């Protein structure tokens, strides 16, 4: 199992994988953070494709080509905005991972990279978000052959260290 999960610290837009996941907002029209970086690297065609998707609800995911990215696909998911943890935030975050993985399975993706959804602008506590991400991915991989590899792609040191710690306990 653990050889199907990898941890890296990198810019997700540079990864040569089948799919990268985008931490988008409900409009799917780009934004800051990882969303902005993905749109800049993929080019305007990505925005055109996203406009055609007509938005996405929190906890769900939609897929587009990767256009100028090395990745073949971008899976756009909308994480919850953290309020106090009692407004369904954990369940919605879990759903982001499951829905994204389901799209990856449908497209027979071999490798999928996730950013730390909701832990930036949306202020989800990083420790809790990492625990949910790891647990959800592990459970999913127990049931499914695809994707064969899931990469947690951290960008900030804090998230990277949290994942290192949690993954070393497995
Ligand atoms: N590669 C990988 N991870 C990155 C990159 C990158 N190039 N850039 C930032 N991160 P955020 P959210 C990490 O704010 O909290 C956008 O405006 C970053 O360190 O991008 O889900 C959307 O349009 C953090 O750990 O996403 C939405 O409006 C993680 O990505 C809103 O932000 C997520 O931070 C979504 O907020």
């Amino acid at each position: 199992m653990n050889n199907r999960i990898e941890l890296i610290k990198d810019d997700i837009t540079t990864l040569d994988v089948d799919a990268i996941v985008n931490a988008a907002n409900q409009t799917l029209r780009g934004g800051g953070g990882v969303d902005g970086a993905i749109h800049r690297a993929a080019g305007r065609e990505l925005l055109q494709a996203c406009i055609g998707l007509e938005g996405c609800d929190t906890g769900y995911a939609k897929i587009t080509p990767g256009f100028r990215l090395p990745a073949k696909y971008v899976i756009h998911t909308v994480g919850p905005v953290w309020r106090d943890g009692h407004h369904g935030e954990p369940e919605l975050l879990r759903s982001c991972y499951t829905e994204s993985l389901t799209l990856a399975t449908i497209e027979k993706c071999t490798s999928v990279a996730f950013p730390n959804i909701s832990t930036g602008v949306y202020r989800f506590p990083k420790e809790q978000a990492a625990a949910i991400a790891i647990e959800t991915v592990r459970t999913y991989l127990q049931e499914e052959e695809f994707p064969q590899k899931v990469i947690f792609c951290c960008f900030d040191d804090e998230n990277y260290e949290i994942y290192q710690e949690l993954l070393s306990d497995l």
Side-chain angles (χ1 to χ4, degrees):
M1 161 60 62
N2 284 344
N3 60 13
R4 291 177 68 191
I5 294 179
E6 210 176 285
L7 173 65
I8 58 169
K9 187 161 163 275
D10 211 338
D11 174 353
I12 204 167
T13 65
T14 65
L15 302 183
D16 189 5
V17 289
D18 284 342
I20 61 170
V21 176
N22 182 16
N25 60 61
Q26 289 183 351
T27 71
L28 299 186
R29 297 201 176 195
V34 69
D35 193 8
I38 289 173
H39 275 271
R40 274 193 301 279
R44 282 201 64 81
E45 284 166 293
L46 179 63
L47 182 60
Q48 291 308 320
C50 284
I51 288 169
L53 297 175
E54 298 184 335
C56 182
D57 288 334
T58 303
Y60 289 88
K62 294 191 178 180
I63 192 164
T64 64
F67 298 103
R68 289 186 213 165
L69 291 165
K72 197 163 156 202
Y73 299 105
V74 180
I75 297 170
H76 308 263
T77 190
V78 183
V81 177
W82 180 263
R83 290 167 70 186
D84 56 6
H86 299 294
H87 289 81
E89 298 95 326
E91 294 74 18
L92 288 165
L93 187 63
R94 193 168 299 125
S95 173
C96 286
Y97 283 91
T98 310
E99 293 288 317
S100 299
L101 288 165
T102 302
L103 289 176
T105 302
I106 291 168
E107 297 300 337
K108 293 235 175 332
C109 291
T110 300
S111 49
V112 179
F114 281 93
N116 307 132
I117 301 164
S118 283
T119 67
V121 175
Y122 284 179
R123 304 183 314 273
F124 203 114
K126 291 178 182 178
E127 288 263 4
Q128 197 181 339
I132 290 169
I134 292 168
E135 201 271 321
T136 307
V137 166
R138 287 187 74 210
T139 304
Y140 189 90
L141 293 182
Q142 274 159 13
E143 302 292 324
E144 298 288 343
E145 193 184 341
F146 286 93
Q148 281 163 359
K149 180 151 279 182
V150 171
I151 300 157
F152 290 116
C153 178
C154 299
F155 198 59
D156 55 278
D157 290 331
E158 199 186 343
N159 263 315
Y160 184 71
E161 281 156 24
I162 291 168
Y163 273 79
Q164 249 184 342
E165 179 89 31
L166 290 177
L167 288 168
S168 71
D169 287 345
L170 295 184

